[in-house]
Structure formats: structure tokens, C-alpha cells
Amino acid sequence: MCGARMNDQEQQPRREARVEPVSTARGLGQGRDHHWGEFLVENAIRVLGFSAIGFVVLIFLFLLQEGLPTFFRVELPILFGQRWYPTFDLYGTMPLILGSVLVTIVAIAIALPLGVATAVFVREVAPNWAREILKPMIETLAGIPSVVLGFFGMTIVAPLVRDVLGAPTGLTAFTGALLLAYMSLPTIISVAEDALDAVPKSYRDAGLAMGATRWQTIWRVVVPAARSGIITAIMLGMGRAIGETMAVMMVTGNAARMPVTADSLFRPVRTMTATIAAEMGEVARGSTHYHVLFGVGIILFVLTFMINLAAASVIFQKRRRGGLR
Amino acid sequence: MVEQPKIHLEHVGFTYNATSATTGAEPVEALKDVTLSIPPHAITVIFGPSGGGKTTLLRLINRLNDMLSGTRRTGQVLLDGQDIYAHDVSVVELRRRVGMVFSLPLPIPGTVRHNVTYGLQLAGMRDQTVLDNALVRSLQQAALWDEVKDRLDDPATALSGGQQQRLCIARSLALEPDVLLLDEPTSGLDPISTAKVEHSLMELKKHYTIVIVPHSVQQGARVADYAAFFLMGELMEAGPGRQVFINPKNKRTEDYITGRFG
């Protein structure tokens, strides 16, 4: 009944407005102007929307155009070799790839338990007032510029790593992984927290009602229900970690050394991103070195793409097997 | 009633947002001074218009409202004469004795088998034979066994809505509770599934004490051994189902049953 009355009130002025244009000749002209505006806005939005896609395609094409020659100019055994000495025409990217992989995996290994535990705490355990404080604080963390974190890493974390772990230098893969873990934490926490938040309250009730403790309900019912969201969180965090440049360049020592020995974690490494950033400024345009750096960019892109693909397939699989839900 | 009631509510009141200073929300008095006895091995129907406190009442009986902040509870809830809100009562033990089925069929993530045996596993049961027996027994009691006996290791979410709801009933039954609380268990189901659930309730009442909030007056009338009518948090009328539904003493009960308001 209430709804019907409100409709009446809404329709009253509209009916008057409709009557007016018909009674005067001006009404039709106005209508056409209106159509013109509509046409412009609609197409402007369309152009803007497509141009965003267009730019992404162009960037991708540029990357391919500049990077693909690498794979013809440099023999593949050398390109995937173990020695990166551009001055001697040795473009072995393996130390860089493994460097990135090592730093990323260790970073995620640190950030994953911390991030998921924090998300569970913020969403499931913390009282309301604490949640109100914690959430904005975590989101602020994401806004710290990476160069600031890099500076913090150089002056505080690196000496600490050197002194505590007794490494010859504090600029190690581990230092980079620590910083990257810290940088991917806000992403992991907020996405995982959203995923937990999306789990219906009735799941918690259902868990409790069958005699589970609060902890059992969280860990065995709520977290599995949020599984796909948590996996997305991890993948996004990984994407952030593998693509991060500045902080990593500042604290990993940048020695293009194969991280294959047992102590590699506590020795300097060089990542793909740091290599591109450090060398691109000094390279002759069109030289082999120039193209190889773009080639490294392609490898990096393929790696990130595979991570995203893996994430998508996990989520897709879940959805397909989930039947109706 | 000659028998001792299974559950007895003594002057129970319940208010949400009772400490409204922190949230700013208005206090809502969901239950007002309710005194009600629920006899064993029978189906007690709790019915009335929405907002009447029916769900609150069910959730009080297995202490699911404990987790909410800012609520106030008065009175006593006795299970077999024991105050379930006493300090020495284990909430987890209580919930194993008082199972609950919700209006939405919500299987927990995992297979059909996992859903049924999980409660027992939580309770510390590791013996596979016992788990398997409980699986078969509770699925049979919930009238689901024939439909899922070849799909025990499929994800529970792949079952139909009606099957999922009966799975949730089976999940509660696996713990062999004394009391089964059902909150509109058939609200999302088609008539055939509803009939199956109602039929299994008739079997179940031989072993369990059942308290159900039906999703319609008709359903209430079909299954009730005893019935209690709630309006705006107050208990209007309670008695044998036949009497409440056919010959109500309270005018408002009669108005509600005959569809004069709802």
C-alpha cells in the first residue's frame, strides 16, 4: 500500500512535464537536442572505453615488437643460459628468472600465513571497534610508496639481516622477500577479508550448531567457504610481488648470480624487474641488449599471465564443481 | 502434562541492541516474558507472523545468540530440568544435544559424506566404522539415502535444493541429538521435497524432540502435536496442535489462522 502511494507521488510531476511539450511547438525541437546530447555522451563513453582496451593492446604489441627480435638475435641456449654479462654479449636470463621466482616464492611463503591469519582475526575475532581501526590502517599500508619501503629496507632491514643472520651483506634475496611480503600483505589481507565477509552468516551458525567450537567453525567451515577468494588474494599478492621493482632493486644486491646453492636465500640476487629498470636507461636503442631487456619483459609478462591463469582456473573449477551455487 | 517437559522456558525475555549506547540502534524486544513447556518425543510447532520472535526462541535453545553482542536475556531455559545458561554448561556439548536446521540449505564445503560425518569428527570420533554407520543411519532417517547412496563423494553443493536441506537434517541427526530445532526448513523447497521432509519428521519424532517453525500455517497444522502462537514477541496461546489450529481460544490466534492478518 505504501509503495503504491509513493508511485502516485512520483508520477504526478512527470505527467505534467509530458503534457507541456506536446502543447507547444518548441517541444519537438527540445527533444532532438536531447537526442544529440545523448548521442555524444554515449559515443564519448564508448570511445573512452574502447581506447582503454586499445592502449593495452598497443602496449602489448609494442612489447612484442621490441622483445620478439631477442629470440632471433640471441641463440636460445645463450638466452636461457646462466651468465648475464651484457658487455660480453652473454644474455643468460636464467639467473634473473630464478632470482624473481625465489624472491617471490619466499615472499608469499611469509605473507600467506600472516595475511590469512590477519584477515581471519580482523573479520572473525576482533571486536567491532578494533576492526574499525585495523581496516583503514591496513589499507593505508598499501599506499606507502615502494621507494620509501626500499629506503627503509636499506637502512633498517638490511643491516638487521646482516647482523642477525651473519650474512656477508645485508642486501640479499631474503631481505627483498621480507619487503615484498610486507608490500603484498595489505592486498592479501583486504581481499581475503572481503572473501571471508562474503561468507553468509548462516555458515557460521551451521558450524556452531553442529557442535563446532568457534575456532573449528572459522578454520574448517568459513575459511574453506571463502577458499576461492583467498586464492585470488594470494595470486594478487603474488602478482604484486613479482612485478615490484624499486624496493627489490634497492635491497637485493643485484648480483646476477644463479640462486641454486643452499645459501642463495642469504646471498644477493637480481630480479627481472630490477634488471630492466637498472639497465634500460643506459642501453643503446635498437641494440641486442635493448631487445633482450624487452625480451625479459615478455618473460615476466608470461609468468604473471600464468599466475593469473592458474588463479582463474582454480576459481572456475570451484564454480563448475559447485553445481548450483 | 504428566511427563517432565524436555525443554522448559521460564519467563524468558530477549532484547537485541539492549546496550544501544554503542551502536545507536533502537533496542528491539524480541521475546517478552515467555513461559512454555516443550514435551519430549513430539513435534512442537512455533508459529506466528514474522518478527514474532520465533527464530530468536529457537536460537536461544541452543545458545546461538551467544555470539551476538549487545543483547539482554532474562529468565531461564531448562533442558531436562537443567539451566542451559548456567556457568558450568559446555556450549559445544549443548549444541551436540540440540541440533538445528536452518531455513537456507547450507551444506558446509565438501562432499556429502563429509557434511554428515563432520560433526562427529569434530566431537573426536575417529572410528571409521562408527562414522560409516552414522552416515547411513542419518541419511536414511532424513529420507535421503536412496537418492545419494551412489553420490556420497560428490560435492554437497551439487545436490538439489531439497536434497541439500535433507542433507542438513541428516547432518544434525548424525550427532544423535536429543532435540532437533528446525527454522522454516522447507521454505526454499518444492512441494514434493517438502512432503518428504515432513514425512521424515513424522518418523523422527519417535526418537527425538522436535521444535519447528513452519513456513506456513498449513504446514504447522499438518505436523503439530503441540503448537504455540507468537505475536510481537509474546506467547499468545499454546496447547495441543489440534486444539490450537482447529479451536483456538485466543481471538488473535484464530484471526491469524483464518488469514485475517499475516
Side-chain angles (χ1 to χ4, degrees):
Chain A
M1 240 166 66
C2 186
R5 200 188 308 146
M6 270 173 52
N7 263 346
D8 277 353
Q9 280 169 349
E10 262 176 26
Q11 278 173 2
Q12 212 65 41
R14 210 186 291 157
R15 224 175 276 151
E16 284 170 8
R18 237 181 254 150
V19 172
E20 215 180 340
V22 174
S23 62
T24 62
R26 254 181 68 242
L28 280 175
Q30 262 183 351
R32 200 177 294 155
D33 279 347
H34 181 69
H35 278 295
W36 263 105
E38 195 92 325
F39 177 80
L40 279 179
V41 169
E42 214 171 82
N43 281 287
I45 288 172
R46 186 171 296 148
V47 167
L48 287 174
F50 277 116
S51 64
I53 301 170
F55 288 136
V56 172
V57 171
L58 284 180
I59 290 171
F60 184 63
L61 288 179
F62 178 72
L63 183 67
L64 286 184
Q65 185 208 324
E66 300 293 322
L68 279 182
T70 313
F71 299 94
F72 306 111
R73 286 209 194 182
V74 184
E75 289 169 51
L76 286 184
I78 293 182
L79 189 62
F80 290 101
Q82 302 188 5
R83 281 138 62 94
W84 176 264
Y85 296 115
T87 28
F88 302 106
D89 283 334
L90 285 172
Y91 300 105
T93 53
M94 213 32 106
L96 314 180
I97 298 174
L98 292 183
S100 279
V101 169
L102 174 71
V103 173
T104 306
I105 288 179
V106 175
I108 288 300
I110 298 169
L112 172 63
L114 280 178
V116 173
T118 311
V120 165
F121 174 75
V122 171
R123 174 47 51 194
E124 304 290 329
V125 185
N128 278 333
W129 60 267
R131 186 178 309 146
E132 298 306 314
I133 300 171
L134 281 170
K135 275 208 78 174
M137 279 177 73
I138 289 163
E139 273 147 29
T140 313
L141 281 186
I144 299 178
S146 61
V147 67
V148 174
L149 280 177
F151 182 67
F152 170 76
M154 275 173 107
T155 55
I156 310 284
V157 185
L160 206 65
V161 168
R162 188 188 58 212
D163 295 344
V164 173
L165 298 171
T169 166
L171 303 175
T172 63
F174 185 65
T175 320
L178 277 182
L179 279 194
L180 282 184
Y182 187 76
M183 293 177 75
S184 49
L185 267 179
T187 315
I188 295 180
I189 294 170
S190 34
V191 177
E193 207 251 50
D194 285 345
L196 291 174
D197 193 27
V199 175
K201 193 178 156 297
S202 17
Y203 271 81
R204 297 173 179 87
D205 285 347
L208 293 174
M210 73 170 96
T213 61
R214 196 173 174 196
W215 167 243
Q216 286 168 329
T217 306
I218 291 172
W219 193 241
R220 310 287 285 277
V221 179
V222 180
V223 171
R227 196 186 67 144
S228 64
I230 290 175
I231 289 173
T232 313
I234 297 161
M235 294 298 171
L236 285 175
M238 248 176 129
R240 170 107 211 242
I242 203 169
E244 169 53 34
T245 310
M246 191 47 76
V248 170
M249 192 160 77
M250 287 167 84
V251 300
T252 52
N254 294 319
R257 133 181 218 287
M258 286 292 284
V260 283
T261 54
D263 60 352
S264 289
L265 189 56
F266 305 106
R267 296 283 178 270
V269 286
R270 166 177 273 212
T271 64
M272 290 186 279
T273 50
T275 306
I276 299 174
E279 297 177 11
M280 190 56 95
E282 296 160 8
V283 78
R285 197 185 165 131
S287 66
T288 310
H289 190 187
Y290 171 85
H291 287 300
V292 171
L293 289 182
F294 275 98
V296 173
I298 292 181
I299 296 170
L300 188 60
F301 173 78
V302 169
L303 271 182
T304 348
F305 183 74
M306 276 169 17
I307 292 174
N308 286 340
L309 200 69
S313 72
V314 168
I315 295 160
F316 178 71
Q317 193 185 22
K318 161 97 198 265
R319 207 171 283 163
R320 194 184 48 199
R321 286 184 55 205
L324 284 169
R325 268 200 78 250
Chain B
M1 274 161 263
V2 189
E3 263 180 303
Q4 190 200 5
K6 188 73 189 173
I7 303 164
H8 183 73
L9 297 104
E10 186 76 32
H11 300 296
V12 170
F14 195 81
T15 309
Y16 295 102
N17 302 325
T19 51
S20 58
T22 49
T23 54
E26 284 290 304
V28 180
E29 204 177 356
L31 287 175
K32 296 168 199 165
D33 193 24
V34 172
T35 299
L36 177 68
S37 288
I38 293 168
H41 301 298
I43 299 179
T44 302
V45 165
I46 310 281
F47 73 109
S50 59
K54 300 165 293 184
T55 300
T56 306
L57 182 87
L58 287 195
R59 293 171 64 95
L60 273 175
I61 300 178
N62 73 347
R63 292 186 62 172
L64 270 185
N65 285 337
D66 282 16
M67 301 290 286
L68 302 173
S69 52
T71 58
R72 189 178 56 228
R73 180 184 50 80
T74 53
Q76 276 192 319
V77 182
L78 306 174
L79 176 65
D80 289 330
Q82 189 194 1
D83 181 4
I84 64 165
Y85 282 91
H87 286 292
D88 56 341
V89 168
S90 150
V91 183
V92 170
E93 277 303 316
L94 170 76
R95 291 188 186 134
R96 279 175 194 148
R97 279 180 64 193
V98 183
M100 180 149 183
V101 177
F102 301 90
S103 51
L104 282 175
L106 272 171
I108 55 172
T111 61
V112 171
R113 182 194 302 275
H114 177 70
N115 261 276
V116 180
T117 56
Y118 185 54
L120 283 172
Q121 285 169 345
L122 284 178
M125 176 51 67
R126 293 284 171 271
D127 187 340
Q128 197 56 45
T129 339
V130 176
L131 290 178
D132 286 342
N133 289 341
L135 176 75
V136 178
R137 172 185 56 80
S138 37
L139 284 173
Q140 280 171 344
Q141 285 180 336
L144 187 61
W145 173 249
D146 291 334
E147 289 163 61
V148 300
K149 61 171 185 261
D150 301 321
R151 305 172 63 186
L152 293 175
D153 294 306
D154 282 5
T157 42
L159 299 182
S160 77
Q163 289 170 334
Q164 287 186 19
Q165 189 58 288
R166 277 175 284 150
L167 180 65
C168 290
I169 295 175
R171 183 174 71 190
S172 301
L173 294 177
L175 288 166
E176 296 188 65
D178 292 351
V179 180
L180 193 58
L181 309 173
L182 302 115
D183 188 1
E184 302 192 7
T186 58
S187 62
L189 303 190
D190 60 275
I192 295 171
S193 302
T194 303
K196 281 183 182 165
V197 170
E198 284 177 15
H199 181 75
S200 44
L201 289 184
M202 295 301 179
E203 290 295 313
L204 291 173
K205 75 178 179 189
K206 293 171 193 159
H207 309 283
Y208 304 94
T209 301
I210 296 176
V211 185
I212 180 172
V213 173
H215 84 270
S216 67
V217 175
Q218 291 80 359
Q219 181 177 48
R222 280 197 297 272
V223 299
D225 294 316
Y226 298 91
F229 177 63
F230 279 80
L231 183 64
M232 311 286 284
E234 283 177 75
L235 177 63
M236 287 289 147
E237 178 167 3
R242 189 170 288 274
Q243 177 220 309
V244 174
F245 281 105
I246 295 172
N247 189 17
K249 290 184 184 135
N250 189 307
K251 179 79 171 58
R252 276 172 289 192
T253 313
E254 190 185 337
D255 286 351
Y256 182 73
I257 291 169
T258 52
R260 237 163 277 172
F261 77 101

